[in-house]
Amino acid sequence: FREKVLKQVEFYFSNSSLSKDRFLLSKIKESEERWVDVGLIADFNVIKKLGVRKDLLSLAIRRSAVLELSEDGERVRRREPFAPPTDTDERTVYVENVPLDSTHETVRALFEPFGAVAYVGRRRRRRPSQTPSGICDSPTTATTVVVRPPTTTAVGVGRADGDEQGPK
């Protein structure tokens, strides 16, 4: 359980998340030393749903290799300052018509065979009128997947017709 909490908090402070999370980034910038109150993180919806109190959150953060906790256990910050990624567009895949009942974890599992997934963002579209093209007649989710920088291994992407498409 503690690992799940730590993974979530580390995600909040990750490059991929902070490059999209203006609220948390503004809180980090408010402090010259980049500290954020642990109580603020404890109020985030996912942390609340996990039922984690502030004191337990501090205990989980103490085990982090990428975050540090202040001596009094009241504030948290990244060990390394945030540097916005410059190659996000090259590493982003936009996927449409993802079933509404899919989760971040199922989408991550779908893309992990092709490379380490750094971020999964979801935008729910509940009514056809909310879709830009207006052609979708069932509720779906648009999903953005950002992969970590590529390794030296080339990965092909399978298509529905069975042909493989990838680097030539």
Side-chain angles (χ1 to χ4, degrees), residues 92-113:
T92 300
V93 178
Y94 182 78
V95 184
E96 290 187 335
N97 298 324
V98 176
L100 279 175
D101 61 349
S102 63
T103 64
H104 282 82
E105 291 78 21
T106 59
V107 172
R108 180 178 298 278
L110 179 67
F111 285 92
E112 283 286 341

Side-chain angles (χ1 to χ4, degrees), residues 4-6 16 19 24 28 40 42 44 56 59 63 68 77 79-80 109 117 123 137 139 143 146 151 162:
K4 185 175 185 174
V5 171
L6 179 57
S16 56
S19 64
L24 183 55
I28 291 170
L40 176 75
F44 285 9
L56 296 177
L59 284 174
R63 304 179 76 173
E68 65 180 306
R77 69 178 175 190
R79 292 184 189 276
E80 298 294 323
V117 175
R123 271 188 274 150
D137 60 0
T143 301
V146 178
T151 62

Side-chain angles (χ1 to χ4, degrees), residues 9 11-37 40-41 44 76-78 80-85:
V9 176
F11 168 74
Y12 290 143
F13 284 86
S14 70
N15 284 344
S16 56
S17 179
L18 285 176
S19 64
K20 294 171 181 32
D21 188 342
R22 286 183 246 148
F23 173 75
L24 183 55
L25 190 56
S26 73
K27 293 298 181 184
I28 291 170
K29 289 178 178 180
E30 283 178 9
S31 165
E32 191 173 307
E33 295 181 355
R34 306 177 325 270
W35 290 108
V36 175
D37 187 68
L40 176 75
I41 306 302
F44 285 9
V76 60
R77 69 178 175 190
R78 290 171 50 121
E80 298 294 323
F82 170 64

Side-chain angles (χ1 to χ4, degrees), residues 92-159:
T92 300
V93 178
Y94 182 78
V95 184
E96 290 187 335
N97 298 324
V98 176
L100 279 175
D101 61 349
S102 63
T103 64
H104 282 82
E105 291 78 21
T106 59
V107 172
R108 180 178 298 278
L110 179 67
F111 285 92
E112 283 286 341
F114 302 104
V117 175
Y119 176 85
V120 175
R122 317 268 323 266
R123 271 188 274 150
R124 296 197 183 274
R125 298 175 188 217
R126 299 188 196 309
R127 294 184 307 266
S129 62
Q130 290 178 309
T131 62
S133 63
I135 60 172
C136 179
D137 60 0
S138 64
T140 60
T141 301
T143 301
T144 303
V145 179
V146 178
V147 296
R148 291 197 176 99
T151 62
T152 56
T153 307
V155 178
V157 178
R159 296 190 324 207

